[in-house]
Amino acid sequence: MSQTNTPSSNTIAAHDQVLHFPKGSKPSLAPNVWLIWSGSQDEGGLPDLEHGPANITKVLVPFSWWVQHHNESDIAAKAKEGKIGVWFAADEDILKHEQLIEVGKTVWPVVAAHFPIFRDGRSFSTAALLRDRFQWQGEIRAIGDVLIDQLLQGARVGFDSFALRPDQNTDVALKQFDLFSVTTQNSWRGLRTTRASLSA
Amino acid sequence: MYKYDHIDQTLVDQRVAQFRDQVARRLDGTLAEEEFRPLRLQNGLYHQRHAYMLRVAIPYGLFNSKQLRTMALISEKYDRGYGHFTTRQNIQYNWVTLEDTPDILAELATVEMHAIQTSGNCIRNITSDAFAGVAGDEYVDPRPICELLRQWSTLHPEFAHLPRKFKFAINGAKEDRTILLCHDVGIELKKNAQGELLADIYAGGGMGRTPILGSLIKTGLPWQLLPSYLTALLRVYNRFGRRDNLYKARIKILVKALSPEEFARQVEGEWLHIKEGDDNFTQAEWDRVAKHFTKPAYKDLPALTTDQVIAGASQADQAAFARWLGRNVKPHQVPGYASVILSLKPHGSVAPGDATTAQMYAIADLSDQYSFGELRATHEQNLVLADVEQAKLYELWQEAKKQKVALPNVGLLTDIIACPGGDFCSLANAKSLPIAKAIQERFDDLDYLFDLGDISLNISGCINSCGHHHVGNIGVLGVDKDGEEWYQITLGGEQGNDAAIGKVIGPSFYADEIPDVITNIINTYVQDRKDDESFIQAYRRLGVTPFKEAAYKNAKKKEKAAQVSGEDAS
Ligand code: HEM
Ligand code: SF4
């Protein structure tokens, strides 16, 4: 499988297909159009999307970079076209930026939360807060060290798309979501079975 | 006892299938060991010194004879003829293979058991009072709450990859038998004047490298709100617990760094937003679960005095039987009944907490015959038959003796809590089991042990403290110095309502010195005690000095033993 989203020093590697699992629908794969910019080499502005791979047309920028640059006119213009989303680092305290996120909700098509390593669960709480506290209705994408065996947990806390690490097998990934037909605690996707069964 | 409904059963069955697939991917190489590790740990599968070890959950220590027979079967079929009951009320098998593990889990699922979250950086198996529901000093039967929280924590998605492991203990009795304050979260259940069930929450306790007692951070929380409050608490920990340093990742470090007041404030701040939601428990949920914890079919029996019970024994047995009654039999809420502790600490045993396949089968039969088919595991690594008719105690004692589980040493010096140490554990700095055995052999005289009375002696093979050495009146800790095994002694630890962390008395000892050191410490107590003072009471009155002097009195190799410091620090 070719990788359009080539890992390089200023992007975060991901599978060239994104796994979408919208609430209420079935999981499916679709080509990825979002470049995940690490922001580590800020060469005076956003990465050049025009001269990269044709299918990559939009960019996820680090939220911390957005905090610095969102008022600049070219950034604002690009954002207006729906070409900019943000990603939250695992250690980003999103509750400290309530106002900026409230405004951002009106312009970002997608937000993402990053897993620096698969066993770092902070972004699970970030996604839960985005859904519960900020009432974010749009897409939340899991990015970074996203492995097959985290998908189920991610789907339940509020992620509805997954940019898997490039080496992950998408066929196995697609099968993860129907492993469990029951739950014993609430999640973004619904009331726990143990409670729902009682009120029925 | 709780009985799975189709939801619980479906969940464990599906969990077996999920793990089977993960193991298959590991075996065919598509899943790397490093990435498999947290997955297998969340299923209690460790890789140890010699083999894989599987830790099977016994939620809040409660199980039945059918389950025990399955535990026995597993020890026979997949292991080497024994199982090990742990300080967290679970059972471990030391010799399983990776390939067999899915089948073992499938076997367990047929009797409503699993290994979910017995390890890993997630919410671990919840522990509670081994005498829950029968203890004479109980305010609230904690088991419905334990069960509701077991369900709430099982495969919780948001808290699947916490900074570190997370342990709950729940108590509802006057005497704390759960070491509540040594847990990441301790839940103390109470009833108010209106009869409403409320919880006090302690956070940030734990042993390990930095032993700390938990702090009270919330009082009077209505039981229904536990899930939302605990979600808030865990969310704060998940987001802000340290992940840069394994040794500083436990919640105790966060609570200490922030101060308990500030931690409580942050939890409260988070909770405000979710306290009204669907997370909370409903009365219908309570009713569904609580109906399983009603009393068994007790008979209407007269309460017997100890003398009456003793009178039922043959003349020749009376002295020994009385001893057992005094140590291993506890009062019960219901007249005519008592709770019996079966000691898994025979002197000279291989390991405290071990039970052989044959013992497990036999104990399962005893529970059917004498205790409504139910059992409990204690954190001291013994087993309990909770509902025994007083009139049948003598009969049971005779049966238990045949199985070598009737030693009347509960609470005495040889009722040692010990981790598997260097014999099994790859993290160990030193062996624990031979030390436990040597102490049991030295103090083999029951008359003497009885005279000494209550003393706890706990041994850990390394600073991780699986053997709870910090809360032993006498603690023994294995330490490594220049590749050699040494043992550090702590004194003054205690579990229970006056929980305390023991203090290191000084330089460490060689293994072969330990029985003498313990003897010297004990002799000091015997000489200096007043009236019927217990060891810990005498220690508190006298202070460390006389004990310390005695310990080093004839430490022949003392000059070679450098103080191993820093082990306990950070
Ligand atoms: C043989 C394999 C075992 C391994 C690899 C292991 C691993 C560990 C580790 C790494 C810790 C340290 C946690 C910390 O940083 O605080 C720990 C603590 C603990 N373990 Fe084990 N353990 C093993 C066996 C056992 C056994 C057999 C028991 C029970 C008899 C047990 C019960 C505990 C308990 C109660 C703690 C206390 C820590 C606390 O309360 O903070 N473990 N274990
Ligand atoms: S205390 Fe140390 S040696 Fe003992 S079981 Fe725990 S990790 Fe292993």
Side-chain angles (χ1 to χ4, degrees):
Chain A
M1 219 178 280
S2 73
Q3 280 171 27
T4 50
N5 201 347
T6 319
S8 73
S9 58
N10 62 350
T11 58
I12 291 168
H15 221 281
D16 57 359
Q17 287 186 299
V18 169
L19 207 169
H20 289 278
F21 183 27
K23 199 169 172 174
S25 310
K26 292 226 168 316
S28 64
L29 292 169
N32 178 29
V33 298
W34 287 91
L35 181 76
I36 311 165
W37 183 42
S38 73
S40 66
Q41 286 170 16
D42 179 359
E43 290 153 358
L46 286 175
D48 176 7
L49 295 174
E50 270 78 46
H51 301 94
N55 54 325
I56 298 290
T57 54
K58 305 173 182 191
V59 62
L60 283 167
V61 305
F63 178 70
S64 55
W65 188 88
W66 175 267
V67 173
Q68 299 294 317
H69 298 277
H70 67 283
N71 282 328
E72 295 165 15
S73 58
D74 55 327
I75 306 303
K78 257 222 161 72
K80 223 169 171 185
E81 294 169 43
K83 291 197 165 168
I84 298 183
V86 296
W87 63 267
F88 298 100
D91 61 359
E92 192 76 69
D93 184 359
I94 60 171
L95 299 179
K96 289 218 169 106
H97 299 280
E98 256 166 274
Q99 279 176 341
L100 207 54
I101 292 174
E102 283 304 327
V103 176
K105 276 163 65 179
T106 61
V107 290
W108 304 320
V110 175
V111 299
H114 183 239
F115 290 83
I117 186 156
F118 62 95
R119 53 174 191 273
D120 182 337
R122 283 177 286 188
S123 288
F124 290 145
S125 286
T126 302
L129 285 170
L130 285 165
R131 295 297 186 196
D132 288 357
R133 192 79 74 84
F134 290 98
Q135 297 292 310
W136 168 256
Q137 306 292 330
E139 181 177 331
I140 305 181
R141 183 171 295 197
I143 63 169
D145 206 30
V146 181
L147 309 190
I148 284 157
D149 295 285
Q150 272 151 277
L151 295 174
L152 205 48
Q153 289 130 359
R156 296 192 61 215
V157 297
F159 289 104
D160 54 358
S161 76
F162 302 87
L164 285 158
R165 203 174 68 186
D167 66 348
Q168 299 292 290
N169 180 329
T170 48
D171 292 334
V172 180
L174 277 170
K175 285 191 219 129
Q176 296 305 301
F177 301 104
D178 51 13
L179 289 181
F180 290 94
S181 57
V182 294
T183 60
T184 54
Q185 63 291 112
N186 292 348
S187 78
W188 176 64
R189 290 183 191 261
L191 199 60
R192 55 193 178 268
T193 326
T194 39
R195 177 159 165 189
S197 70
L198 291 170
S199 44
Chain B
M1 189 176 134
Y2 185 69
K3 198 153 171 19
Y4 280 9
D5 69 0
H6 75 280
I7 300 171
D8 301 290
Q9 191 64 50
T10 306
L11 191 110
V12 299
D13 290 343
Q14 292 176 340
R15 175 63 177 144
V16 174
Q18 181 191 33
F19 193 64
R20 197 180 284 284
D21 174 61
Q22 291 170 338
V23 169
R25 280 189 275 132
R26 173 70 202 113
L27 291 172
D28 76 16
T30 50
L31 192 54
E33 176 55 23
E34 192 220 345
E35 293 165 5
F36 179 57
R37 192 170 170 272
L39 305 180
R40 65 168 160 78
L41 288 177
Q42 298 212 348
N43 230 327
L45 192 62
Y46 281 83
H47 198 201
Q48 279 315 303
R49 198 152 280 219
H50 311 288
Y52 278 99
M53 176 199 97
L54 181 69
R55 183 179 294 150
V56 175
I58 304 178
Y60 38 98
L62 193 60
F63 57 110
N64 63 30
S65 56
K66 196 169 147 192
Q67 292 173 325
L68 183 53
R69 286 190 188 98
T70 301
M71 295 180 211
L73 179 81
I74 288 166
S75 71
E76 193 172 25
K77 193 165 154 189
Y78 301 100
D79 205 271
R80 296 196 180 169
Y82 68 96
H84 178 74
F85 288 92
T86 78
T87 48
R88 299 207 77 252
Q89 301 179 303
N90 295 321
I91 184 168
Q92 291 180 175
Y93 297 102
N94 280 308
W95 301 98
V96 301
T97 65
L98 177 59
E99 289 79 355
D100 280 341
T101 305
D103 291 338
I104 299 173
L105 296 173
E107 198 110 50
L108 289 167
T110 65
V111 292
E112 308 182 359
M113 290 184 83
H114 60 72
I116 299 170
Q117 291 174 199
T118 52
S119 180
N121 294 336
C122 49
I123 304 171
R124 298 289 187 89
N125 182 38
I126 290 170
T127 56
S128 189
D129 185 358
F131 298 92
V134 298
D137 65 342
E138 186 168 85
Y139 306 120
V140 178
D141 181 350
R143 294 172 302 172
I145 292 293
C146 290
E147 176 54 30
L148 284 167
L149 289 176
R150 177 193 74 83
Q151 296 179 16
W152 168 78
S153 62
T154 299
L155 304 185
H156 198 301
E158 189 177 337
F159 308 126
H161 292 289
L162 293 167
R164 279 297 265 122
K165 59 177 167 180
F166 206 88
K167 297 171 178 178
F168 279 79
I170 304 179
N171 184 41
K174 191 165 157 220
E175 184 191 336
D176 173 27
R177 285 173 288 264
T178 69
I179 356 179
L180 202 73
L181 297 185
C182 287
H183 285 77
D184 297 288
V185 166
I187 300 177
E188 176 100 47
L189 299 172
K190 298 252 162 79
K191 277 193 175 152
N192 67 8
Q194 288 74 47
E196 292 160 333
L197 176 55
L198 304 173
D200 287 352
I201 311 286
Y202 294 84
M207 289 185 248
R209 186 170 298 256
T210 314
I212 299 181
L213 299 177
S215 306
L216 183 61
I217 60 157
K218 179 85 184 163
T219 55
L221 180 73
W223 67 273
Q224 296 90 335
L225 306 187
L226 277 163
S228 58
Y229 186 81
L230 296 174
T231 297
L233 184 153
L234 274 147
R235 194 171 277 171
V236 170
Y237 170 56
N238 192 31
R239 298 179 70 220
F240 302 113
R242 287 184 62 170
R243 289 176 187 262
D244 58 328
N245 179 339
L246 191 67
Y247 301 120
K248 299 192 172 177
R250 299 289 293 273
I251 193 177
K252 61 192 173 189
I253 304 294
L254 180 66
V255 172
K256 197 173 147 193
L258 291 174
S259 84
E261 296 72 27
E262 173 58 17
F263 178 76
R265 200 190 59 75
Q266 291 194 13
V267 172
E268 205 74 20
E270 180 59 36
W271 186 50
L272 267 181
H273 296 272
I274 54 175
K275 68 192 270 192
E276 310 287 351
D278 284 335
D279 279 345
N280 293 322
F281 292 137
T282 63
Q283 188 61 40
E285 286 176 290
W286 170 277
D287 292 343
R288 185 183 83 72
V289 163
K291 69 168 188 270
H292 296 291
F293 299 105
T294 50
K295 305 287 174 198
Y298 292 122
K299 293 181 201 158
D300 224 344
L301 298 172
L304 303 181
T305 64
T306 307
D307 287 345
Q308 286 170 315
V309 173
I310 293 171
S314 77
Q315 203 67 37
D317 281 339
Q318 284 188 354
F321 179 55
R323 219 173 230 174
W324 182 74
L325 289 175
R327 295 307 317 188
N328 296 28
V329 177
K330 304 286 164 195
H332 198 284
Q333 290 172 359
V334 177
Y337 286 85
S339 298
V340 169
I341 303 171
L342 301 175
S343 168
L344 295 183
K345 318 280 181 68
H347 288 177
S349 57
V350 182
D354 271 7
T356 64
T357 305
Q359 281 176 324
M360 285 192 259
Y361 281 126
I363 293 169
D365 291 345
L366 292 182
S367 81
D368 279 339
Q369 212 174 332
Y370 296 100
S371 196
F372 301 95
E374 278 190 15
L375 300 115
R376 291 105 184 286
T378 72
H379 84 78
E380 292 94 348
Q381 305 178 282
N382 291 315
L383 297 179
V384 169
L385 297 177
D387 299 291
V388 181
E389 291 176 32
Q390 284 181 300
K392 293 196 176 157
L393 285 168
Y394 179 49
E395 209 178 296
L396 170 60
W397 176 69
Q398 290 169 306
E399 294 297 322
K401 271 208 306 190
K402 289 183 202 155
Q403 299 305 324
K404 301 194 163 49
V405 291
L407 194 72
N409 63 342
V410 168
L412 301 178
L413 186 65
T414 57
D415 187 9
I416 296 170
I417 298 178
C419 78
D423 292 289
F424 293 101
C425 180
S426 46
L427 303 177
N429 286 329
K431 291 196 166 69
S432 319
L433 303 178
I435 302 289
K437 192 170 174 200
I439 295 169
Q440 283 175 339
E441 279 163 359
R442 171 68 62 93
F443 292 92
D444 191 32
D445 179 351
L446 277 177
D447 289 321
Y448 187 57
L449 284 176
F450 260 68
D451 174 57
L452 297 178
D454 286 322
I455 304 183
S456 57
L457 190 152
N458 300 351
I459 309 174
S460 300
C462 78
I463 194 61
N464 287 324
S465 328
C466 298
H468 291 178
H469 69 278
H470 293 298
V471 293
N473 297 165
I474 302 173
V476 180
L477 166 65
V479 290
D480 171 87
K481 183 116 173 51
D482 307 326
E484 267 193 282
E485 297 189 355
W486 298 77
Y487 296 85
Q488 195 174 62
I489 302 288
T490 54
L491 289 178
E494 197 179 8
Q495 62 184 56
N497 301 55
D498 297 322
I501 305 282
K503 297 238 175 352
V504 179
I505 62 167
S508 341
F509 300 92
Y510 285 116
D512 61 5
E513 293 178 287
I514 294 294
D516 286 340
V517 170
I518 305 296
T519 305
N520 292 343
I521 291 170
I522 295 296
N523 286 345
T524 305
Y525 160 63
V526 172
Q527 270 161 33
D528 295 353
R529 69 179 160 189
K530 269 196 196 154
D531 312 323
D532 51 3
E533 233 177 13
S534 70
F535 177 84
I536 189 73
Q537 285 163 343
Y539 174 84
R540 287 190 175 150
R541 179 174 56 82
L542 294 162
V544 71
T545 311
F547 295 96
K548 186 174 164 170
E549 280 167 4
Y552 291 100
K553 192 166 65 187
N554 44 10
K556 50 186 184 305
K557 295 154 193 156
K558 187 181 158 198
E559 62 283 2
K560 287 193 231 147
Q563 165 101 42
V564 183
S565 59
E567 295 294 328
D568 233 322
S570 79

